[in-house]
Amino acid sequence: MTLEEVLKKYEVVIGLEVHAQLNTKSKAYSADPNEFGSVPNTNVSPVSLGHPGTLPKLNKEVINHAIKLGLACHCDITREMHFDRKNYFYADLPKGYQITQDKTPVCRHGYVLIKDADGNEKRIDLTRIHMEEDSGKSIHDQDPFDTLVDLNRAGVPLLEIVTEPVIKNATEAYNYLIEVRKLLRYLDVCDGNMEEGSMRCDANISIMPIGSKTYGNRVEVKNMNSIRNVYRAIEFEIVRHAEILENGGEIYQETRNFDAPSGSTIGMRGKENAHDYRYFPEPDLGGITIEQAYINQIESMLPPLPNFLYKKYINELGLSDYDATNIVENRDIALYFEEIIKHTSSYKNAANWLMGAIKSYLNEMSIEISEFPIGADKIAQLITLIESGKINNTIATQKVFPEMLANPTANPQDIATKNDWIVQGDSGEIEAIIKGVFEKNPDETKRFKDGEKKLAGFFMGLVMRESKGKADPKTTTQLLNKIIETL
Ligand code: ADP
Ligand code: MG
């Protein structure tokens, strides 16, 4: 069956679980470093190794990060909470249990705003966000005979963000993950890097006949290392489910792995039920009370968030949806833009410079905006210089901007003055040049005066040449028309 055929008959139900690895300095319940890429089994102490007699101690930064994200997602913050043990056996889980939150997740409800497949705003309701710890890593592909275990990741703090089953298609899932990743990055709690596994997503997918009130059996797909692959996995599963149901089969509730090269999923294991884990309150950590004042303090320190900035750019600054979307896509780009507009109110020009010349330079050099040499205030000065008519856009882009790149501390006005790129303020210089070109080209001047409008281009070219490109095309056009009248 094709996806279109399936969607004529079935409704899709998707719930996503995102695991975000927090960028704290130390692990969730010990002082061991939380560092990616260290030599295997070096970020471990007896706590990470699960030795008997060791005790966990909660890292307060983890709570901070959780509350930040919860507030950004409009969640209720749980004031009285505890941790729970989730018991299971894996070689990379030396304690034999994971310290997580079952009954009292730090955040409940709330939502993330996304664009649906038609581009309309939609709320994706969250069930919960809870704190937990990561397991170590079993490495199956480095030794031909044995599985190796690296426990550096054991105990690294995670936030798990769980949605209600309200996502209706792969596009919504894709857009939701983009938004969550943006939030994590704006809040500076997680780098959101799916390739390195610091943000992971499990997709729960089911289908049911259109109009049905009962959800179908769900499968959970894991192991997708990009948002694009979550999209592919969902579309693959939808069709797989429909084909089974159409053939009179039943969907087996299970966990499946995504295989990126083939774009398909492979059954991995039957799905455990919650009671298999024998959750019980973690006795070694005890209860935690969060004061309202503490929540208020975190709230007062939240940075501007992408959705807020997007709406501000559209409603207050008059930017297009395209510009606003592109600017807020990357936190550091947005922060740079915020800096530029502290010094100029030419918002559209600021957006054009940032998404045009600056972005091209970043791409060309393969660098991030944080490595861009020119300060936002200098870009604002450059924009002001253009706005005031002292230099035109061409000179700004082709001469002043490259000069600023070579000498980032220099002031654009000084650069333009020193190189004689400034147009005289009273437009007298351009007037003189125009009069000169009219004098030197009497035939064309007569025809132009007699109404041959297309000669404007010819004169414009001459004026540009004489002025060494400094003349502003708009002013020049106005002056050409004004002066020809007087001849
Ligand atoms: P588990 O630990 O079993 O994965 P969770 O409660 O952490 O359970 O996550 C369940 C996820 O599955 C949630 O995102 C929820 O919205 C989603 N979900 C539940 N029922 C369905 C269903 N029938 N179809 C699709 N998704 C579902
Ligand atoms: Mg799950």
Side-chain angles (χ1 to χ4, degrees):
M1 282 176 103
T2 65
L3 186 63
E4 287 82 67
E5 285 163 359
V6 176
L7 297 181
K8 285 197 190 112
K9 242 179 122 173
Y10 293 96
E11 232 172 278
V12 177
V13 176
I14 301 164
L16 298 180
E17 295 160 76
V18 169
H19 284 92
Q21 241 178 29
L22 302 185
N23 59 9
T24 52
K25 286 204 182 62
S26 52
K27 292 188 182 176
Y29 315 113
S30 76
D32 294 349
N34 171 16
E35 229 171 59
F36 183 79
S38 308
V39 175
N41 298 307
T42 53
N43 298 337
V44 291
S45 67
V47 182
S48 295
L49 298 174
H51 285 195
T54 54
L55 288 173
K57 186 167 183 301
L58 180 63
N59 178 352
K60 207 171 147 195
E61 268 307 290
V62 178
I63 297 199
N64 260 320
H65 280 21
I67 296 177
K68 269 202 221 175
L69 182 63
L71 291 171
C73 297
H74 318 273
C75 299
D76 301 328
I77 308 295
T78 307
R79 304 272 310 276
E80 299 285 341
M81 62 183 170
H82 63 266
F83 286 85
D84 296 282
R85 279 192 190 180
K86 182 179 184 182
N87 297 280
Y88 57 98
F89 176 80
Y90 276 137
D92 48 28
L93 187 80
K95 291 201 298 291
Y97 57 85
Q98 178 191 31
I99 304 180
T100 176
Q101 291 192 298
D102 179 36
K103 292 281 184 315
T104 58
V106 55
C107 311
R108 289 177 222 250
H109 311 125
Y111 59 88
V112 173
L113 285 177
I114 67 153
K115 291 251 166 79
D116 70 12
D118 301 321
N120 298 317
E121 192 170 84
K122 173 170 175 176
R123 272 182 187 212
I124 301 299
D125 294 319
L126 300 184
T127 313
R128 57 194 276 149
I129 301 176
H130 67 256
M131 300 180 272
E132 60 184 28
E133 61 180 325
D134 214 339
S135 59
K137 224 179 196 165
S138 296
I139 302 160
H140 307 287
D141 57 1
Q142 283 194 13
D143 186 291
F145 305 109
D146 294 312
T147 288
L148 307 179
V149 176
D150 176 8
L151 293 174
N152 281 348
R153 205 179 65 178
V156 162
L158 299 175
L159 288 180
E160 177 168 346
I161 308 150
V162 183
T163 75
E164 290 288 300
V166 292
I167 296 169
K168 296 217 170 308
N169 51 55
T171 304
E172 286 184 13
Y174 186 94
N175 292 349
Y176 168 79
L177 292 172
I178 296 275
E179 283 312 312
V180 168
R181 188 171 63 183
K182 258 193 267 175
L183 279 176
L184 294 169
R185 288 176 173 168
Y186 270 73
L187 293 165
D188 196 18
V189 298
C190 164
D191 68 21
N193 190 333
M194 281 189 77
E195 290 72 24
E196 286 179 2
S198 48
M199 173 170 147
R200 305 191 282 269
C201 173
D202 301 343
N204 297 272
I205 304 150
S206 69
I207 65 171
M208 59 186 177
I210 288 179
S212 166
K213 295 264 180 301
T214 330
Y215 290 157
N217 281 346
R218 66 172 157 127
V219 301
E220 184 183 46
V221 185
K222 288 181 182 289
N223 199 28
M224 295 152 296
N225 65 356
S226 69
I227 296 181
R228 175 79 202 145
N229 282 345
V230 175
Y231 182 98
R232 293 170 69 205
I234 290 172
E235 297 217 319
F236 176 83
E237 276 301 302
I238 295 172
V239 174
R240 191 182 70 84
H241 285 212
E243 284 174 349
I244 294 174
L245 295 177
E246 290 292 305
N247 289 320
E250 226 182 287
I251 306 298
Y252 175 51
Q253 181 162 329
E254 62 177 341
T255 300
R256 296 177 72 86
N257 252 337
F258 182 65
D259 176 60
S262 64
S264 61
T265 66
I266 299 154
M268 192 165 75
R269 57 167 191 256
K271 177 77 195 154
E272 313 84 345
N273 279 314
H275 60 253
D276 298 335
Y277 294 125
R278 302 293 304 226
Y279 283 104
F280 66 86
E282 167 59 59
D284 291 339
L285 280 172
I288 296 163
T289 304
I290 311 272
E291 301 296 339
Q292 186 59 45
Y294 183 65
I295 300 173
N296 295 348
Q297 191 197 346
I298 295 180
E299 185 156 34
S300 69
M301 292 185 324
L302 283 183
L305 295 173
N307 214 275
F308 167 83
L309 290 179
Y310 173 83
K311 288 189 174 153
K312 168 173 141 183
Y313 295 165
I314 300 272
N315 300 331
E316 290 172 38
L317 310 191
L319 297 186
S320 64
D321 168 70
Y322 179 83
D323 282 341
T325 305
N326 278 318
I327 293 171
V328 301
E329 186 181 87
N330 177 312
R331 178 190 72 152
D332 292 337
I333 293 274
L335 293 182
Y336 193 89
F337 183 71
E338 288 288 294
E339 277 305 309
I340 304 180
I341 62 172
K342 276 189 192 152
H343 305 280
T344 170
S345 47
S346 301
Y347 308 123
K348 177 68 188 154
N349 287 339
N352 288 349
W353 272 93
L354 183 54
M355 302 321 287
I358 297 178
K359 206 68 185 284
S360 307
Y361 179 78
L362 300 181
N363 289 343
E364 197 182 310
M365 306 299 284
S366 289
I367 57 170
E368 299 292 326
I369 187 81
S370 52
E371 299 158 279
F372 183 62
I374 306 174
D377 56 330
K378 295 274 186 318
I379 295 295
Q381 288 171 16
L382 177 63
I383 292 169
T384 308
L385 211 55
I386 305 164
E387 291 272 291
S388 66
K390 289 193 177 150
I391 58 174
N392 67 31
N393 238 320
T394 315
I395 291 275
T397 321
Q398 293 175 5
K399 307 252 195 227
V400 184
F401 183 62
E403 210 38 52
M404 289 167 78
L405 285 168
N407 191 357
T409 53
N411 174 323
Q413 165 113 30
D414 294 344
I415 292 177
T417 311
K418 203 172 77 198
N419 291 287
D420 192 24
W421 291 329
I422 300 262
V423 180
Q424 292 312 313
D426 56 5
S427 64
E429 188 186 1
I430 301 299
E431 271 189 54
I433 292 174
I434 291 175
K435 285 182 181 149
V437 301
F438 281 153
E439 260 166 42
K440 278 183 228 151
N441 300 280
D443 287 353
E444 285 82 357
T445 302
K446 182 161 183 309
R447 279 158 51 204
F448 187 45
K449 193 170 164 62
D450 291 346
E452 202 175 319
K453 284 283 172 260
K454 68 175 197 289
L455 280 168
F458 165 77
F459 286 115
M460 175 73 80
L462 293 179
V463 174
M464 279 297 170
R465 196 159 71 203
E466 291 278 316
S467 71
K468 301 195 188 66
K470 282 187 295 183
D472 173 50
K474 216 166 99 199
T475 323
T476 307
T477 308
Q478 282 164 359
L479 288 173
L480 277 171
N481 290 323
K482 198 175 98 190
I483 295 167
I484 197 78
E485 295 289 307
T486 66
L487 294 182

